[in-house]
């Protein structure tokens, strides 16, 4: 793992959450104050958001081409980095006409270069591409942005272009040995640009710089707390839903559970939860999940629809067709069960922020990243309004809400599990025999992580059944059986992830257990790919 990725993960895991927000479905309705991050496509844009939320300040990521109209809730704007160059034809250009000079702005890397070039400066391709650690040899400590930074403070650079000329009203406030314009301030307005990345761990005083901008310059109050989020959300849900009934599809995971408890606290028995066995859950999961909800006060209906799903999946190998088959059947099964409930007007969902980010391209239109986020099609079919209490929270923020709600830690610590389940972990055609085999393999792997006290060190883990067979030797006989790949990653929100460095002794033990106990498997491999470039799931 690269030092940058280590630093990103370390900074993510130092997250401390306090917030105050109320929202419904796809629209944020009440936010006392927020920072807007205009996204130009940087893979670390979400990390900027995480670092701001560490400061107990709410922020939103929006595509760069969204027009921003100042209002009382918006306290400042951040322009992210980008894989693009401001020298390229058709480079991303935001509309800052309503905010520049009116609200504080911080341009980071590409954002700084854009602010320079768009207003009369000059950006050129650098002969010395600066990537990695650098030091600010000049720091204007009278600058509000750089107050508290040390002499020669370490920063992280990642750019091939550099600003060579600034407009007359731009003053340099920071420089490295190789980059004269390392940071600048525009006279007469609270607009700043920096060519380094304060959001990554290797910018050692990046949190100080971001706090200077968000708290001192933007004057955010840092009052975003889990307790106030819960109280205000429950009150608003009660007012919005009234006497209507809500139906919610439970998965047994963190997001749907926290969403269900919030709704239950708000409307009590007017919430009905439905948990559907789609035939591609983990081993014995249907029974385990229903058992886990018995003492939580929720009204949960379990529906065993395994035969319906597996019959329709029989012979399907294309990943997208698998998802569509499962989605179609889920809608039909869920709809049939939900229609038995009177006066249902709302569909509750556990959508979280990474789902939202991965479903919107920085170029504006929706991008099909994952077709299985929640239950597409149900609201239209059932003529329901969607309510998504967790839509703008990261996964660990959801867990912290769950802790305050006193949800069972075993549920809050559960690994994410894809909506299509084991269907997208069986590469190739789906059969009942393959599902059974992979359930057994997956169970040995996951239970082994718990036995060796590794489960909580891993963000997500599972096994993949590969569409290949290999030669093996068992006793005096040669075998020709299946290969399974084990996958375990570390992350905080799933947006980026690294493969988990599990002990060799553990992997050897699990490999032996799988081969000795699961008939049909004679080879186990371990996936050491990170996201990006790979995804967490294989399909």
């Amino acid at each position: 793992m690269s030092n940058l990725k280590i630093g990103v993960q370390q900074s993510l895991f130092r997250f401390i959450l306090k917030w105050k927000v109320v929202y419904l479905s796809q629209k944020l309705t009440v936010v006392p104050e927020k920072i807007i991050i205009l996204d130009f496509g940087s893979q670390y844009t979400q990390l900027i958001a995480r670092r701001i939320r560490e400061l107990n300040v709410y922020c939103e990521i929006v595509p760069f081409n969204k027009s921003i109209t100042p209002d009382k809730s918006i306290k400042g704007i951040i322009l992210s980095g980008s894989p693009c160059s401001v020298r390229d034809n058709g480079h991303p250009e935001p509309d800052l006409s309503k905010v520049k000079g009116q609200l504080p702005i911080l341009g980071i890397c590409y954002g700084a270069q854009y602010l320079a070039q768009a207003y009369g400066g000059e950006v050129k391709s650098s002969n010395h591409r600066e990537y990695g650690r650098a030091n600010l040899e000049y720091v204007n400590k009278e600058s509000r942005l750089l107050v508290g930074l040390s002499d020669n403070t370490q920063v992280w650079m990642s750019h091939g272009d550099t600003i060579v000329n600034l407009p007359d009203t731009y003053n340099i406030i920071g420089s490295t040995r190789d980059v004269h314009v390392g940071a600048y301030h525009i006279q007469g307005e609270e607009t700043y640009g920096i060519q380094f990345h304060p959001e990554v761990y290797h910018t050692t005083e990046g949190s100080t710089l971001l706090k200077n901008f968000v708290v001192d310059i933007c004057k955010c109050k840092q009052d975003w707390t889990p307790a106030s989020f819960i109280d205000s959300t429950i009150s608003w849900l009660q007012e919005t839903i009234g006497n209507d009934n809500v139906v919610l599809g439970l998965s047994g995971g963190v997001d749907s559970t926290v969403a269900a408890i919030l709704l239950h606290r708000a409307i009590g028995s007017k919430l009905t939860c439905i948990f559907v066995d789609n035939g591609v859950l983990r081993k014995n999961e249907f029974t385990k999940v229903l058992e886990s909800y018995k003492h939580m006060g929720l009204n949960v209906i379990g529906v065993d629809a395994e035969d319906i799903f597996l019959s329709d999946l029989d012979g399907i190998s294309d990943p997208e067709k698998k998802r569509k088959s499962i989605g179609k059947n889920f809608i039909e099964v869920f709809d049939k069960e939900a229609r038995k409930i009177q006066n249902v007007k709302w569909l509750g969902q556990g959508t979280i922020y990474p789902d939202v980010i991965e479903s919107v391209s920085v170029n504006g239109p929706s991008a099909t990243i994952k077709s299985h986020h929640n239950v597409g099609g149900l609201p239209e079919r059932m003529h329901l309004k969607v309510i998504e209490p967790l839509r703008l929270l990261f996964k660990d923020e959801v867990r912290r809400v769950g802790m305050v709600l006193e949800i069972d830690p075993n549920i809050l610590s559960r690994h994410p599990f894809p909506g299509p389940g084991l269907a997208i972990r069986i590469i190739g055609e789906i059969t009942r025999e393959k599902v059974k085999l992979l359930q057994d393999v997956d169970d040995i792997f996951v239970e082994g992580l718990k036995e060796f006290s590794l489960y909580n060190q891993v963000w997500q883990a599972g096994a993949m059944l590969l569409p290949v067979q290999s030669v093996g030797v068992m006793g005096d006989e040669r075998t020709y059986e299946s290969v399974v790949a084990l996958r375990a990653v570390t992350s905080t929100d799933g947006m980026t992830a690294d493969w988990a460095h599990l002990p060799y002794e553990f992997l050897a033990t699990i490999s032996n257990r799988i081969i000795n106990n699961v008939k049909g498997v004679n080879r186990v491999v371990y996936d050491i790919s990170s996201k990006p470039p790979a995804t967490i799931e294989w399909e």
Side-chain angles (χ1 to χ4, degrees), residues 135-141 146 148-154 204-205:
N135 296 91
L136 290 183
E137 295 185 348
Y138 165 64
V139 177
N140 182 342
K141 295 185 179 182
L146 305 184
L149 268 64
S150 306
D151 293 330
N152 287 309
T153 185
Q154 179 178 289
T204 53
E205 296 178 318

Side-chain angles (χ1 to χ4, degrees), residues 69-234:
T69 301
D71 61 43
K72 291 182 180 179
S73 71
I74 302 175
K75 308 298 286 185
I77 309 290
I78 293 179
L79 312 183
S80 82
S82 176
C84 304
S85 167
V86 295
R87 300 179 300 105
D88 295 340
N89 292 329
H91 64 269
E93 296 188 74
D95 178 7
L96 302 178
S97 59
K98 297 178 182 178
V99 295
K100 187 174 179 292
Q102 304 299 313
L103 291 172
I105 296 176
L106 173 63
I108 296 175
C109 198
Y110 177 92
Q113 293 165 2
Y114 173 80
L115 286 171
Q117 178 172 281
Y119 297 93
E122 184 180 9
V123 176
K124 287 186 176 181
S125 177
S126 175
N127 292 327
H128 179 80
R129 186 177 187 274
E130 193 163 38
Y131 182 87
R133 294 178 179 85
N135 296 91
L136 290 183
E137 295 185 348
Y138 165 64
V139 177
N140 182 342
K141 295 185 179 182
E142 295 182 359
S143 166
R144 297 182 68 191
L145 184 69
L146 305 184
V147 169
L149 268 64
S150 306
D151 293 330
N152 287 309
T153 185
Q154 179 178 289
V155 298
W156 184 269
M157 294 284 191
S158 179
H159 59 91
D161 292 345
T162 193
I163 301 168
V164 294
N165 289 305
L166 287 172
D168 292 340
T169 57
Y170 288 44
N171 296 325
I172 296 173
I173 58 175
S175 305
T176 70
R177 182 184 62 184
D178 298 308
V179 178
H180 183 53
V181 185
Y184 62 77
H185 170 231
I186 300 179
Q187 296 176 20
E189 56 187 83
E190 295 288 7
T191 301
Y192 301 84
I194 54 177
Q195 289 209 79
F196 53 89
H197 289 268
E199 68 272 24
V200 303
Y201 175 72
H202 290 299
T203 296
T204 53
E205 296 178 318
S207 58
T208 299
L209 185 150
L210 288 173
K211 183 178 180 181
N212 288 343
F213 179 74
V214 171
V215 179
D216 298 332
I217 296 172
C218 296
K219 301 188 184 305
C220 292
K221 298 186 185 74
Q222 297 181 276
D223 60 356
W224 208 41
T225 67
S228 62
F229 164 77
I230 292 170
D231 291 342
S232 55
T233 298
I234 288 173

Side-chain angles (χ1 to χ4, degrees), residues 317-516:
S317 59
D318 179 79
E320 195 62 19
K321 289 181 179 178
K322 293 177 186 178
R323 293 187 177 95
K324 289 181 177 178
S325 170
I326 292 171
K328 172 183 70 70
N329 283 305
F330 181 88
I331 289 173
E332 292 177 355
V333 171
F334 189 94
D335 182 39
K336 181 180 178 180
E337 198 64 40
R339 289 186 182 279
K340 300 176 184 178
I341 308 166
Q342 299 298 313
N343 195 35
V344 173
K345 300 293 179 62
W346 299 90
L347 174 68
Q349 292 193 158
T351 310
I352 63 173
Y353 205 22
D355 300 342
V356 177
I357 296 172
E358 290 191 347
S359 298
V360 179
S361 124
V362 296
N363 293 319
S366 179
T368 304
I369 305 297
K370 296 178 182 176
S371 61
H372 61 274
H373 281 328
N374 290 304
V375 194
L378 261 179
E380 295 82 2
R381 180 180 179 127
M382 300 177 68
H383 306 290
L384 299 178
K385 292 175 283 186
V386 176
I387 192 164
E388 298 171 314
L390 310 176
R391 181 178 176 82
L392 296 180
L393 300 186
F394 288 99
K395 175 74 75 172
D396 57 335
E397 296 174 339
V398 176
R399 286 193 169 105
R400 291 179 182 271
V401 168
M403 291 172 64
V404 176
L405 291 170
E406 298 183 339
I407 294 173
D408 185 347
N410 290 323
I411 293 177
L412 295 180
S413 65
R414 286 193 67 192
H415 291 173
F417 189 65
L422 299 181
I424 59 168
R425 293 182 178 179
I426 297 173
I427 315 302
E429 292 187 357
I430 304 293
T431 67
R432 291 175 185 266
E433 293 73 24
K434 289 181 179 180
V435 172
K436 173 64 168 59
L437 183 150
L438 189 57
Q439 284 178 332
D440 290 341
V441 171
D442 177 86
D443 187 62
I444 291 172
F445 183 31
V446 173
E447 291 304 312
L449 287 168
K450 295 177 181 177
E451 176 188 339
F452 282 76
S453 299
L454 295 168
Y455 186 83
N456 290 333
Q457 299 178 31
V458 172
W459 162 264
Q460 186 170 340
M464 318 294 160
L465 179 59
L466 307 188
V468 295
Q469 291 185 308
S470 71
V471 174
V473 178
M474 291 188 179
D476 295 327
E477 298 180 0
R478 291 172 66 83
T479 61
Y480 193 59
E481 295 180 331
S482 296
V483 179
V484 293
L486 305 183
R487 177 76 158 143
V489 298
T490 56
S491 182
T492 297
D493 53 32
M495 297 294 293
T496 60
D498 190 47
W499 61 278
H501 294 221
L502 299 177
Y504 292 152
E505 295 80 2
F506 167 77
L507 291 173
T509 299
I510 295 303
S511 175
N512 286 337
R513 286 182 184 177
I514 291 170
I515 293 172
N516 290 335

